[in-house]
Amino acid sequence: MKSEMHFDYIILGSGAAGLSLAHRMANDCYFDNKSIAIIDKEEKNKNDRTWCYWEIGEGYFDSIVKKKWDEIQFYSKTLDKRQNVNPYQYKMIAGLDFYDYTVPFIEQKENFTFIYDTIESVDESNVKAIVQTSKESYSADQVFKSYPSVSKVNQEEHIYLDQHFKGYFIETQKPTFDPSCATFMDFRIDQKGDARFLYVLPESETKALVEVALFSNNLLSQKDYNLILTDYIVDFLDISNYDILEEEFGIIPMTTYPFKNHNTEHVFHIGTGGGLVKPSSGFAFSRIQKHSDQLINCIKDNSPLSNSYHGLHGRHTFYDKVMLHAMIENGVSGEDIFTDLFSKKTASQIFKFLDHETSFLEDIGIFSAPPMLPFTKSFFSVLGK
């Protein structure tokens, strides 16, 4: 019987989490004598997504940041607020720029191997993990898995909400946008019982990403997403003539499911598979970077890999549960929650809270901003489970 090809590490998935971890390994001489494989079903050669995040100072991938903003705009039907986000900057990275930067750098390392094949199963023995693809078997001392080990969260036991989004990269014939300010959230459109908002990320006076995001378990048809976008561009941006340069679409799970409980001795979860998507907002990129840094440190220090989750869950996971419960079970609208937050708190305070960097007293200040009664009900409902 043919034996499987063995590696020290195998990374399953070459998205944000897989490539962020692999790039750090390739950039650290500690891993020069380690054999590392990255397995995905296809090469990353399309501009399939855009990552936006806030950060203080320069970050690990600052060299490929496409645009930075010092100011953001928030709109709802009752609030129009533009503000500076100092000491943060709001940043945007295009998917293709990320792939074109990370993949060639990793490929030049002789100890790295990219394998493009469909992953069929991940099992393990007492001494290694075994990855079966459609063509071959591979084994490793440690597998890092970036996709969930459960196909669908049981919504009766765990709070689950999809964030689905559709975006147009558009170009206008005349100067239209203010490139110094990003529209972070615009709730002025009809909510239709969901949490629906637009964001506008201008690269220049004539180019911008205009995207709609919905917090809902009911997906729309592509025609309906397109209608929201085209109506918004005309009605709120007052643009009648424009070209669509590119489109993007995606679905992000916002869930309190404890994905990290699926970690075993030889299989460890990262990215979406490790619960790195923040349940209450869907933001993940900066959390993935923090986790990647901490994971590298754990490997080099020979400390438990579970320590890499430090600061990424904790009491804030409980807060996420309360917020999602308030939206799903107690009917609090996303527009009301974020309007109250942005009317009473600064963007930097909100960013700090979402990054899990606030003190407990600061947390109380954040929670005092939205409607108290439904949140209090959700607090005790979640606490009792």
Side-chain angles (χ1 to χ4, degrees):
M1 182 178 179
K2 183 180 178 181
S3 61
E4 67 272 352
M5 185 181 298
H6 186 78
F7 297 90
D8 292 304
Y9 304 105
I10 292 178
I11 298 172
L12 300 182
S14 58
L19 290 176
S20 292
L21 178 61
H23 191 276
R24 283 168 169 81
M25 287 178 162
N27 201 30
D28 192 324
C29 61
Y30 176 89
F31 297 95
D32 284 351
N33 295 322
K34 304 293 184 180
S35 57
I36 303 167
I38 304 166
I39 305 178
D40 204 327
K41 62 181 179 180
E42 59 187 8
E43 295 185 52
K44 298 293 186 180
N45 53 18
K46 299 177 182 178
N47 198 37
D48 57 353
R49 65 194 62 233
T50 303
W51 291 291
C52 289
Y53 58 103
W54 51 87
E55 192 169 42
I56 298 175
E58 289 198 8
Y60 189 84
F61 287 115
D62 231 54
S63 62
I64 55 170
V65 168
K66 194 169 189 178
K67 181 66 178 177
K68 301 177 183 179
W69 298 274
D70 294 320
E71 295 185 318
I72 63 168
Q73 172 74 50
F74 178 89
Y75 289 112
S76 70
K77 297 178 185 68
T78 59
L79 182 64
D80 176 344
K81 187 174 182 180
R82 175 171 173 162
Q83 59 182 308
N84 193 289
V85 298
N86 184 57
Y88 298 91
Q89 284 186 309
Y90 196 54
K91 303 180 180 182
M92 176 174 72
I93 291 180
L96 188 57
D97 291 342
F98 179 79
Y99 305 139
D100 286 347
Y101 177 77
T102 55
V103 173
F105 180 81
I106 297 167
E107 285 180 328
Q108 71 174 334
K109 299 289 185 174
E110 294 183 356
N111 57 318
F112 280 79
T113 304
F114 276 89
I115 299 169
Y116 298 107
D117 199 356
T118 301
I119 301 166
E120 295 186 341
S121 64
V122 182
D123 300 303
E124 63 182 307
S125 66
N126 291 332
V127 295
K128 61 184 178 181
I130 301 170
V131 179
Q132 180 65 53
T133 69
S134 62
K135 298 177 183 178
E136 299 287 346
S137 291
Y138 306 93
S139 63
D141 299 327
Q142 185 70 61
V143 164
F144 297 103
K145 188 178 180 185
S146 65
Y147 56 90
S149 288
V150 288
S151 59
K152 183 69 175 180
V153 175
N154 186 333
Q155 295 183 45
E156 295 179 357
E157 297 180 7
H158 303 279
I159 304 172
Y160 184 100
L161 197 62
D162 276 325
Q163 179 184 157
H164 33 118
F165 58 88
K166 175 79 181 277
Y168 289 165
F169 289 90
I170 67 172
E171 183 174 23
T172 60
Q173 296 177 353
K174 60 181 181 180
T176 304
F177 305 105
D178 179 357
S180 68
C181 182
T183 299
F184 185 71
M185 286 180 165
D186 188 343
F187 281 97
R188 290 176 294 176
I189 65 171
D190 188 348
Q191 297 295 289
K192 296 187 181 296
D194 300 324
R196 301 183 175 197
F197 61 91
L198 278 291
Y199 46 96
V200 182
L201 307 175
E203 297 178 33
S204 67
E205 292 183 336
T206 58
K207 290 184 180 181
L209 169 61
V210 182
E211 192 147 297
V212 60
L214 296 85
F215 294 178
S216 164
N217 287 322
N218 300 312
L219 302 185
L220 306 183
S221 67
Q222 289 299 308
K223 180 180 178 181
D224 287 334
Y225 293 113
N226 294 340
L227 186 60
I228 294 173
L229 287 168
T230 53
D231 284 351
Y232 179 80
I233 291 170
V234 173
D235 296 340
F236 292 95
L237 300 183
D238 195 25
I239 300 172
S240 55
N241 295 315
Y242 60 92
D243 294 317
I244 300 175
L245 305 179
E246 292 182 59
E247 299 182 17
E248 66 178 27
F249 175 79
I251 303 172
I252 300 171
M254 296 166 54
T255 173
T256 60
Y257 186 86
F259 291 110
K260 63 179 183 177
N261 290 353
H262 290 277
N263 291 334
T264 59
E265 183 178 358
H266 299 288
V267 179
F268 189 81
H269 291 75
I270 61 176
T272 303
L276 270 296
V277 175
K278 187 164 177 61
S280 61
S281 65
F283 284 104
F285 190 82
S286 61
R287 290 164 58 81
I288 286 171
Q289 303 317 310
K290 181 177 182 178
H291 186 228
S292 297
D293 285 334
Q294 294 180 168
L295 189 54
I296 291 292
N297 290 336
C298 287
I299 295 171
K300 294 170 68 173
D301 294 343
N302 197 29
S303 62
L305 298 184
S306 58
N307 290 348
S308 65
Y309 292 129
H310 177 72
L312 295 167
H313 297 293
R315 69 179 187 275
H316 290 81
T317 300
F318 177 77
Y319 301 158
D320 289 332
K321 290 180 181 180
V322 172
M323 179 171 172
L324 288 179
H325 187 278
M327 292 176 63
I328 297 172
E329 302 296 335
N330 288 333
V332 180
S333 75
E335 180 181 7
D336 289 343
I337 291 172
F338 287 103
T339 297
D340 286 334
L341 281 174
F342 276 92
S343 66
K344 300 174 183 177
K345 301 296 176 182
T346 66
S348 59
Q349 288 175 318
I350 296 170
F351 288 171
K352 185 178 180 183
F353 174 75
L354 293 175
D355 278 344
H356 300 187
E357 299 291 341
T358 47
S359 67
F360 184 66
L361 286 178
E362 290 173 314
D363 296 343
I364 293 174
I366 292 289
F367 267 93
S368 67
M372 288 298 295
L373 181 58
F375 267 82
T376 301
K377 291 181 178 179
S378 292
F379 177 89
F380 286 107
S381 294
V382 172
L383 191 65
K385 291 184 178 181

